């Protein structure tokens, strides 16, 4: 059972991640790395929307639903885009490589916080 210390630690790591993303933009006076924040907001939405389409009452069916798989695919695409976008921007020299590194590390911290939060606070279903 996760407690108050877990919430405080996760919020601290999340704040560091967002700080790195904001600093990657503000230190170099180039605000293109902030486009990555849009992927952090949009990435969980396809999985959440398509997860509502699954039938939780059908516990005998082992095969996945196509709509759930599509939602996972879209979520995976957006997560990869959140990491690849700073690399692309640095490759075409729109942002500096140090801003790319800060943005990627900040993004990984944010994604790790979201995954840890879901892992620690997931409710178990009883049949």
């Amino acid at each position: 059972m996760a407690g108050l210390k877990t919430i405080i630690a996760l919020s601290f790591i999340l704040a560091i991640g967002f700080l790195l993303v904001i600093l990657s933009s503000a230190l170099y006076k180039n605000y293109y790395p902030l486009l990555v924040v849009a992927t952090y907001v949009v990435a969980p939405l396809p999985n959440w929307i398509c997860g509502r389409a699954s039938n939780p009452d059908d516990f005998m069916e082992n095969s996945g639903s196509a709509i759930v798989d599509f939602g996972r695919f879209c979520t995976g695409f957006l997560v990869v885009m959140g990491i690849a976008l700073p690399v692309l921007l640095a490759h075409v020299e729109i942002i500096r490589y140090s801003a790319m590194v800060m943005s990627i590390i900040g993004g990984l911290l944010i994604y790790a916080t979201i995954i840890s939060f879901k892992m620690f606070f997931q409710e178990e279903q009883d049949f």
Side-chain angles (χ1 to χ4, degrees):
M1 184 72 182
L4 185 62
K5 291 182 182 181
T6 306
I7 294 174
I8 292 171
L10 288 175
S11 62
F12 181 71
I13 294 171
L14 184 69
I16 290 173
F18 276 116
L19 178 70
L20 282 173
V21 172
I22 291 170
L23 282 178
S24 71
S25 299
L27 287 178
Y28 302 105
K29 295 181 177 52
N30 190 348
Y31 295 97
Y32 284 111
L34 286 180
L35 292 173
V36 178
V37 176
T39 63
Y40 305 150
V41 174
V42 177
L45 292 179
N47 203 11
W48 178 69
I49 291 170
C50 294
R52 297 288 178 205
S54 67
N55 189 2
D57 295 332
D58 194 9
F59 63 92
M60 293 297 287
E61 184 179 337
N62 290 332
S63 63
S65 174
I67 190 76
V68 174
D69 291 339
F70 178 72
R72 289 179 183 159
F73 173 78
C74 289
T75 299
F77 173 77
L78 290 170
V79 168
V80 170
M81 189 176 77
I83 296 170
L85 186 62
V87 174
L88 177 75
L89 291 174
H91 179 71
V92 296
E93 297 179 355
I94 293 177
I95 64 173
R96 294 185 183 182
Y97 283 101
S98 54
M100 173 195 73
V101 170
M102 290 173 65
S103 181
I104 289 174
I105 291 173
L108 291 175
L109 286 174
I110 291 169
Y111 287 137
T113 303
I114 292 170
I115 291 169
S116 300
F117 183 81
K118 287 181 77 173
M119 187 175 66
F120 283 127
F121 297 102
Q122 187 175 23
E123 295 180 9
E124 296 181 12
Q125 296 180 355
D126 295 331
F127 287 107

